[in-house]
Amino acid sequence: MLLACAVLAAGVASGRAELQTQDLKLWYDKPAGQWVEALPVGNGRLGAMVFGGVDQERLQLNEGTLWAGGPYDPSSPEALKALPEARRLIFEGKYGEAHGLIGGKMMAHPLQQMPYEPVGDLKLTFPRNGDVADYRRELDLDAAIARVTYTVGGVRFVREVFSSPVDQVIVFHLAADKPGQLNFTAAMATPQKATVEAQSPDTLVMGGVNAEAKGIPGALKFQARVRVLTQGGRTTAGKDSVSVSGADSATLLIAAATSYKNYKDVSGDPEALTQAYLAKAVRKPFDILRRDQVAEHQRLFRRVSLDLGVTEQAKLPTDQRIARFAEGHDPQLAALYFQFGRYLLLSCSRAGGQPATLQGLWNESMTPPWDSKYTININTEMNYWPAEPANLGECTAPLIQMVTELVEPGSRTARVNWGAGGWVCHHNTDLWRATAPIDGPTWGFWPTGGAWLCKSLWDRYDFGGDKQYLARVYPVMKGAAQFFLDTLVEEPKHKWLVTCPSLSPENTHPGGVSVCAGPTMDSQIIRDLFSNCIRASEILGVDADLRAKFVAARARLAPNQIGKAGQLQEWLEDWDMQAPEIQHRHVSHLYGLYPSAQITPRGTPELAAAVHKSLQMRGDDATGWGVGWRINLWARLLDGDHAYKLLAMLMTPPRTLPNMFDSCPPFQIDGNFGGCSGIAEMLMQSHASEIELLPALPKAWPLGRVKGLRARGGFEVDIAWQDGKVTSYRIASADRRKVTVRLSGETKVIKSERL
Ligand code: FUC
C-alpha cells in the first residue's frame, strides 16, 4: 500500500487521468463458464452477455421490451368494499384477521405481474487448429467494448462486441492477424416460441412471439436479425445458420425489436424495425460504427474520474481481485467498482428505452428471480441512486417516462381499489405499468411505491434546476400526493394522519404479520412528497389552494419517534425489540436519513442517534442491496470506516459475482448501484444546503482524487486529498453561483468557478 501511495502521489502531481482511463477494465484469463462470468454490453435497449469461448462464442441477447404477457388490468373491484373493515380490524389490533381479509379480497388479479424475458442466443462455432495461447477477455469500461483476444496456430484473433446507442445495433467484429484465417458458423437459439432461418447467405432471422404468463396471453411479436459482412472469404447459408470460411475479418450486425410501442399499444412491426436498423448500419464501415459508439459513450462516461491509487492487485484477473477484496489493500478495485456502476447505468438506462429492471437489461431466463421487474419498495429506486451524484442524470429518462405512464393505470387502481383520486402504485410494476397490490399482503399491500418513485422526479430538478422539466413532472407528483390527501386516516391514539392498511416493507411486526397502520417509512415518504409538491407549486407559481392542503396534511403526519431502546421506531408502536426479524434486510424506516434528508447528524442529532441505534440493531449482514443501502446510511452518519467495512462486504463473494455483478443472491443489479452511490456519498454530500467534501472518507483511502461529481444546485465538484485531508478542490456551476462548502468541520461561502 505504501508503494502504491508513492506511485499515486507522483501521479497526482503530474495529473494521471490517462493512466486511470487505461486501467478501467475488467479482465479474465479464461472464457466465461457460466452466465455470471460473462460480460455485459448494452445501449439501454439492446443488451448482450459476452462469454468469450474459443471454440464457441455465445452472445446472450436481450431487448428491453421483450416481456411476457400484454396490456392487462389487474384491478380488483371487490377490494374497495373490504377497505373499511380492513381498517377497523387494524385499528383494533386484529392484524391476523386484517391480513386474511386483505389477502382474500383486496389483492390484484392476477396475483403476480409479468416477467422480463430473453431474446435468445447468437452462437458462433469455430474450428480449432491447435492450442490456445495468450487468452484474454476484457470489458473496457471507457470504450464500452467487450474484447476477446487469443492465439491459435500462430494466428492472433481479436473479437470486439459493443451495443451502439447511436446505430441501435449490436456490433460484433472478428479479425485475425493473418489473411484468410477466419472460419465460423453462426446460428441462433431461443427459449421463446420462435423460428430461425437463413434468409440469404449473409442474413439470419429469428422471429417469434412472447410468452403467456399468469393467465395473460402473450401479445408481442419480436424479431432478431443478423447481417454477416466479411472481408475476403466466402459466406454460405445453411437452413438455419450462416457459415463464413477463409475470411480476413467479419462484422456481424445484430438488430432486435418487438411490436411494443407503449404499455397500451403493441402494434409495432419488428420486422420493419430490424430491417431499418440494419439498412442504416450497413452503410457505415466498422471503424465508423465503433468511433461513433465510443464518442457517445465517452461524452457521458468521462464526466467523472475517480483515482484511489494504483494497486499491486491490478495485475490479477478481476475475479481474483474480487475474491480477495475484503483482505484490503485494493482501493483501485473500489474505484473500478464505482465506474462499473456508472458503466452499467449508462448501458441499461437510456432515453427511449425501459428503466433498469432488477437485472438491468441482462436476463437469460424465461422465469427470472422476482420476474426481473420493477420492485419499487427499494430496488428500482436504488438503481437510480447514483444517477445524479455520479453525473449521469440523463439516465433517469426511462424512469421518469415510466412514472409518468403510471399515472393512468395508477389512477384506475386508486379509484377502483381505494375509492380515491390521484394515482397509486404498490410495491411492484412491470412493462405493462400494472399498479395494483400483488404477491400477497405480506409484501404487496403497500401504497407508497409510486410516492417513493416521485422522489426521483424531484431529485432530477433538485440537482439540475430545470423549471421546464419541473413543470412537466409536477402534475405527476401532485397526483401521487392527491391520493394521500384522499386516503390518509386518523389513527385513534394521537389523531395523526396515517396510511392504512400498509406495511413496513416486507417486515413482520409482533402481531405476526406485516399489515399495519402508519409505518414510519410511509410518513417519511409522504412528508417528502408533500414537501416537494409544496416547493414545486411555489417555484411554478401554481395551485395555492392545493398547496395549503399539502401544508395542513403534512403537519398532521405521524412524526419520527424514538423508542425505548433509543432506536428510531419502525412502526407507530414501539415494536422494534419484539419484531421476529430484528435483523431484517430492509431498513425502511431509515429512509429518513437516506435517501431522504429529513434526518441529518447536524440538523436533527437526536433522530440521527436513533438511526445509528437502529442500524446497530439491524446489523451489517444483509442481501447485496441491503448492504448497499447500509453503506449510504453509514456515509450519511459520517462514519467512513463503517461504510467501507460494508463496501468490503458488498464487493466480496458471495455478494459480488466474478463478472462484478451484485448478488442478492442471486444476481440483482441494485447492489451495484447502491455501492456506486455509497462511494459517492463517502466522498461528497450535498443534501443539507451545503457541499461537504470528504464527509465519510475511510482510512483505507488516504490518498486520491475525484473529478466531476455532481451536487444539488447544478454544481460539479473535484477534490484531491492526501493523508485523508483535502489538498485542493474545485466547485463549478454554469452561472458561477455562491455555495457553502464544508471542509474538515468548517464552512465557508465561496463563489463557484465556471463550468
Ligand atoms: C424485495 C426484497 C427481496 C428482493 C426482491 C426483488 O422483495 O425484499 O430481497 O430483492 O425485492
Side-chain angles (χ1 to χ4, degrees):
M1 187 60 204
L2 271 181
L3 179 69
C5 288
V7 172
L8 173 69
V12 166
S14 61
R16 335 176 346 266
E18 232 175 300
L19 180 62
Q20 275 298 295
T21 297
Q22 287 168 6
D23 283 338
L24 288 175
K25 287 180 183 141
L26 277 61
W27 74 274
Y28 303 84
D29 55 8
K30 48 182 173 315
Q34 31 165 349
W35 193 86
V36 293
E37 293 171 11
L39 296 172
V41 295
N43 65 1
R45 185 182 70 84
L46 271 184
M49 293 293 282
V50 183
F51 283 66
V54 171
D55 299 323
Q56 190 176 67
E57 176 60 275
R58 176 181 174 206
L59 262 53
Q60 185 266 308
L61 304 170
N62 284 103
E63 204 278 348
T65 61
L66 185 46
W67 291 57
Y72 69 106
D73 174 8
S75 306
S76 10
E78 74 281 23
L80 186 56
K81 263 208 302 270
L83 181 60
E85 174 72 352
R87 283 181 170 149
R88 187 184 64 76
L89 290 168
I90 287 172
F91 285 130
E92 285 174 7
K94 296 175 179 157
Y95 299 106
E97 281 176 56
H99 174 99
L101 178 67
I102 293 168
K105 299 268 189 244
M106 298 179 77
M107 303 304 294
H109 303 295
L111 191 56
Q112 270 130 16
Q113 294 174 353
M114 302 298 110
Y116 177 47
E117 294 188 332
V119 171
D121 290 345
L122 172 66
K123 285 186 174 154
L124 267 58
T125 311
F126 301 85
R128 173 81 78 93
N129 306 315
D131 290 339
V132 180
D134 299 330
Y135 179 91
R136 181 178 162 112
R137 176 169 69 93
E138 66 181 28
L139 182 63
D140 180 345
L141 303 184
D142 186 51
I145 292 177
R147 201 172 287 123
V148 182
T149 48
Y150 57 90
T151 303
V152 174
V155 182
R156 186 88 184 133
F157 292 92
V158 180
R159 301 180 200 154
E160 288 196 329
V161 183
F162 57 87
S163 179
S164 171
V166 181
D167 291 292
Q168 290 299 320
V169 287
I170 293 173
V171 180
F172 182 3
H173 184 72
L174 302 99
D177 70 352
K178 297 211 170 79
Q181 293 295 321
L182 197 60
N183 303 291
F184 63 86
T185 297
M188 297 189 92
T190 180
Q192 303 279 4
K193 265 190 233 145
T195 55
V196 181
E197 62 165 334
Q199 281 195 348
S200 64
D202 66 357
T203 304
L204 262 183
V205 177
M206 181 164 80
V209 291
N210 71 335
E212 171 274 350
K214 293 122 192 176
I216 306 295
L220 289 173
K221 291 179 287 187
F222 75 94
Q223 189 175 94
R225 180 176 284 268
V226 182
R227 177 75 57 83
V228 184
L229 306 165
T230 54
Q231 288 75 45
R234 242 163 38 93
T235 307
T236 48
K239 189 173 143 299
D240 52 7
S241 64
V242 166
S243 294
V244 170
S245 57
D248 305 335
S249 65
T251 305
L252 279 64
L253 302 176
I254 305 154
T258 76
S259 54
Y260 183 86
K261 283 189 161 172
N262 62 49
Y263 69 99
K264 295 187 280 195
D265 182 353
V266 293
S267 67
D269 182 347
E271 165 135 28
L273 285 168
T274 56
Q275 275 176 341
Y277 290 135
L278 284 185
K280 193 167 152 263
V282 291
R283 289 204 294 269
K284 283 191 183 178
F286 168 68
D287 49 344
I288 303 296
L289 289 166
R290 188 183 192 281
R291 185 200 65 192
D292 290 353
Q293 117 88 18
V294 170
E296 168 54 18
H297 175 70
Q298 290 180 347
R299 178 178 73 85
L300 298 162
F301 186 74
R302 284 195 169 176
R303 282 178 183 162
V304 178
S305 64
L306 173 61
D307 190 341
L308 295 174
V310 177
T311 34
E312 279 289 296
Q313 284 86 338
K315 286 194 225 125
L316 295 173
T318 305
D319 49 346
Q320 292 181 33
R321 288 175 85 181
I322 291 168
R324 292 177 193 192
F325 184 75
E327 291 168 14
H329 317 302
D330 196 1
Q332 194 185 9
L333 192 70
L336 190 68
Y337 189 89
F338 173 76
Q339 293 290 27
F340 184 56
R342 296 184 66 245
Y343 168 86
L344 289 175
L345 191 60
L346 259 175
S347 304
C348 74
S349 187
R350 275 179 173 266
Q354 296 300 315
T357 72
L358 289 172
Q359 299 187 184
L361 184 60
W362 302 279
N363 163 44
E364 69 168 337
S365 170
M366 295 290 278
T367 52
W370 293 285
D371 304 314
S372 188
K373 53 188 187 300
Y374 304 110
T375 306
I376 59 172
N377 64 13
I378 173 63
N379 317 88
T380 303
E381 289 88 351
M382 183 177 284
N383 283 355
Y384 287 90
W385 284 353
E388 300 293 345
N391 214 338
L392 294 173
E394 292 88 339
C395 291
T396 58
L399 182 74
I400 292 165
Q401 177 68 25
M402 179 174 85
V403 181
T404 306
E405 290 174 356
L406 286 172
V407 172
E408 189 183 306
S411 300
R412 191 167 57 227
T413 302
R415 194 175 61 244
V416 175
N417 292 45
W418 289 84
W423 67 275
V424 62
C425 185
H426 294 77
H427 96 304
N428 265 265
T429 188
D430 60 12
L431 181 75
W432 310 108
R433 312 301 185 231
T435 50
I438 61 158
D439 292 350
T442 305
W443 309 276
F445 213 87
W446 183 66
T448 329
W452 190 353
L453 287 174
C454 285
K455 184 176 185 309
S456 301
L457 303 189
W458 172 258
D459 285 346
R460 182 97 189 100
Y461 172 76
D462 205 15
F463 277 79
D466 177 348
K467 283 191 195 154
Q468 279 182 345
Y469 159 78
L470 186 64
R472 228 172 3 98
V473 296
Y474 168 66
V476 179
M477 294 162 52
K478 177 167 93 173
Q482 180 68 52
F483 172 80
F484 293 102
L485 286 183
D486 291 0
T487 58
L488 289 174
V489 289
E490 214 173 63
E491 52 82 38
K493 204 152 140 201
H494 308 87
K495 313 282 181 214
W496 292 327
L497 289 182
V498 295
T499 49
C500 184
S502 186
L503 48 86
S504 188
E506 310 194 17
N507 202 6
T508 304
H509 57 68
V513 295
S514 65
V515 293
C516 65
T520 300
M521 180 188 227
D522 281 7
S523 302
Q524 294 174 343
I525 290 176
I526 297 165
R527 187 174 298 116
D528 270 354
L529 178 64
F530 284 161
S531 296
N532 295 337
C533 285
I534 291 164
R535 282 179 64 191
S537 70
E538 282 166 357
I539 294 163
L540 299 170
V542 295
D543 288 344
D545 293 349
L546 186 60
R547 188 189 315 143
K549 289 187 190 163
F550 292 146
V551 170
R554 183 179 60 177
R556 297 191 56 202
L557 290 171
N560 287 306
Q561 301 182 77
I562 299 175
K564 283 191 295 292
Q567 90 288 7
L568 188 75
Q569 280 180 209
E570 182 162 356
W571 294 278
L572 273 182
E573 310 294 331
D574 191 357
W575 280 338
D576 300 48
M577 299 300 285
Q578 287 81 49
E581 281 187 75
I582 200 162
Q583 300 193 316
H584 199 264
R585 59 194 179 281
H586 286 259
V587 280
S588 305
H589 50 316
L590 310 188
Y591 164 96
L593 179 78
Y594 187 91
S596 178
Q598 290 170 33
I599 300 174
T600 60
R602 282 185 282 269
T604 57
E606 292 83 14
L607 289 173
V611 171
H612 191 273
K613 179 71 193 172
S614 291
L615 265 178
Q616 283 175 329
M617 283 165 56
R618 270 307 208 256
D620 292 335
D621 195 14
T623 52
W625 62 262
V627 172
W629 196 348
R630 285 160 173 78
I631 296 170
N632 290 271
L633 288 163
W634 283 105
R636 282 284 176 94
L637 287 176
L638 311 174
D639 188 337
D641 286 332
H642 205 122
Y644 178 81
K645 180 185 171 208
L646 284 152
L647 183 68
M649 286 170 67
L650 178 65
M651 284 180 53
T652 306
R655 291 185 192 83
T656 292
L657 297 158
N659 63 357
M660 221 185 238
F661 270 167
D662 167 67
S663 179
C664 182
F667 163 49
Q668 201 168 288
I669 208 159
D670 39 19
N672 286 102
F673 295 129
C676 181
S677 80
I679 291 170
E681 288 292 319
M682 289 159 83
L683 300 175
M684 193 272 293
Q685 295 178 11
S686 70
H687 55 278
S689 307
E690 58 184 33
I691 294 179
E692 183 166 8
L693 308 178
L694 305 184
L697 186 74
K699 284 193 207 70
W701 301 340
L703 194 59
R705 192 175 54 166
V706 66
K707 288 181 102 168
L709 292 178
R710 196 159 156 83
R712 287 169 184 80
F715 297 99
E716 285 200 10
V717 181
D718 304 346
I719 316 167
W721 67 95
Q722 211 165 338
D723 301 325
K725 297 270 179 312
V726 174
T727 51
S728 67
Y729 68 91
R730 175 176 189 268
I731 298 177
S733 64
D735 51 0
R736 298 210 55 198
R737 225 146 356 104
K738 283 193 180 160
V739 60
T740 304
V741 184
R742 179 180 291 273
L743 168 60
S744 316
E746 314 256 300
T747 59
K748 59 179 169 189
V749 179
I750 62 157
K751 188 165 183 193
S752 56
E753 293 180 33
R754 189 168 306 285
L755 250 190

